[in-house]
Amino acid sequence: GYVLASLFPGDAQRLAGMAHEAGISRIFGGIHYRFDADAGLVIAENVRGLAVAADRQNGLVGLLQ
């Protein structure tokens, strides 16, 4: 969701909510603990930064903004 939020800033809040909801559902499903979901969101934000930085070299994100 975070990479998509960078591409579609108008939908950033909705996409972040969906990512949060996915993490919560895995906690309620007994698949993960809260710290797993929290760490996953941190990792996702770091990956977003790397993906956007790498993509800016190719110009896609720049064209969409």
Side-chain angles (χ1 to χ4, degrees), residues 16-49:
M18 291 169 66
H20 178 73
E21 186 175 317
I24 296 297
S25 71
R26 296 181 71 79
I27 294 168
F28 285 127
I31 300 168
H32 291 292
Y33 295 103
R34 165 65 80 187
F35 62 84
D36 294 321
D38 293 343
L41 292 175
V42 170
I43 291 169
E45 181 61 31
N46 290 331
V47 168
R48 180 208 61 85

Side-chain angles (χ1 to χ4, degrees), residues 1-12 15 48 51-53 55-56 59-65:
Y2 287 116
V3 173
L4 289 175
S6 295
L7 296 172
F8 305 102
D11 294 321
L15 292 165
R48 180 208 61 85
V52 169
D55 192 64
R56 284 203 171 133
L60 178 62
V61 172
L63 291 174
L64 294 174
Q65 293 180 348

